[in-house]
Amino acid sequence: VVFNSLMIPHNARVLDYGSGKATTLYNICRERPDIIPYVFDVSDSYRQVWDHFIDKEHQASFEPPESWNGLFDLITAFFVLEHTDNLYELLENVYRLLKDNGTFLFMVPNILTNLGDFLVVDHINHFSEVSLKELLFKAGFNLHDIETNKFRGAFICRASKKDISKFTNEI
């Protein structure tokens, strides 16, 4: 459902950031075998799962490699941002890894429709539409849309890098 409205280019490089088992990426690749999958997570726990469908050089743990800078057409992060203790570091990583015309697609719990978000101990960040807009703006992203009705209890956000060439020093 989430990907139906996206125009993912042929042979796109797609990174699942904070991937866990990368189940969603696996399913995308089954439908679109032309996609070149990559995964990143903060642990090595899922390497055995990744090895079944992702080349080892397309896997990273703990820190995304610099060789991946500007490589990705699409970066996904499904229920990741609510867990991080440094949102700006995560967004800086996504920004540097994303191509200039790439898309950042992520999902986070919606505090207004998912009150259980407050009960999950490792959810250290909570989001509203206003906080997401401000966060992405400060991190250098254009927010294209926030979907509130496609996935119950969650925001689905689509963003891209700001076009800095359009800004001037004039006030």
Side-chain angles (χ1 to χ4, degrees), residues 55-102:
D55 294 338
K56 287 194 185 303
E57 60 272 7
H58 294 182
Q59 302 175 20
S61 299
F62 307 108
E63 193 69 35
E66 287 188 27
S67 62
W68 290 6
N69 289 356
L71 190 65
F72 298 101
D73 299 285
L74 173 64
I75 297 177
T76 61
F78 300 116
F79 298 106
V80 173
L81 278 71
E82 65 272 16
H83 296 277
T84 185
D85 62 353
N86 192 334
L87 283 169
Y88 287 107
E89 181 181 324
L90 184 151
L91 292 172
E92 284 174 3
N93 282 337
V94 168
Y95 191 91
R96 78 175 167 84
L97 296 169
L98 198 60
K99 284 183 176 179
D100 286 341
N101 59 348

Side-chain angles (χ1 to χ4, degrees), residues 125-141:
N125 300 302
H126 306 279
F127 302 99
S128 67
E129 286 189 57
V130 171
S131 71
L132 286 166
K133 289 175 183 176
E134 183 72 11
L135 174 69
L136 290 166
F137 177 80
K138 286 182 176 180
F141 287 91

Side-chain angles (χ1 to χ4, degrees), residues 28-43:
I28 293 168
C29 291
R30 285 180 60 204
E31 287 189 29
R32 289 276 310 271
D34 62 291
I35 286 178
I36 305 162
Y38 288 73
V39 286
F40 166 73
D41 205 281
V42 294
S43 80

Side-chain angles (χ1 to χ4, degrees), residues 4 15 19 34 38 121-122 142 151 156 161:
N4 292 345
L15 171 63
S19 63
D34 62 291
Y38 288 73
V121 172
D122 63 345
N142 285 319
F151 193 96
I156 303 171
K161 292 181 179 183

Side-chain angles (χ1 to χ4, degrees), residues 99-126:
K99 284 183 176 179
D100 286 341
N101 59 348
T103 299
F104 178 38
L105 180 71
F106 66 96
M107 295 173 69
V108 293
N110 177 340
I111 60 169
L112 299 177
T113 61
N114 186 352
L115 297 178
D117 178 40
F118 290 108
L119 301 175
V120 180
V121 172
D122 63 345
H123 285 193
I124 57 177
N125 300 302
H126 306 279

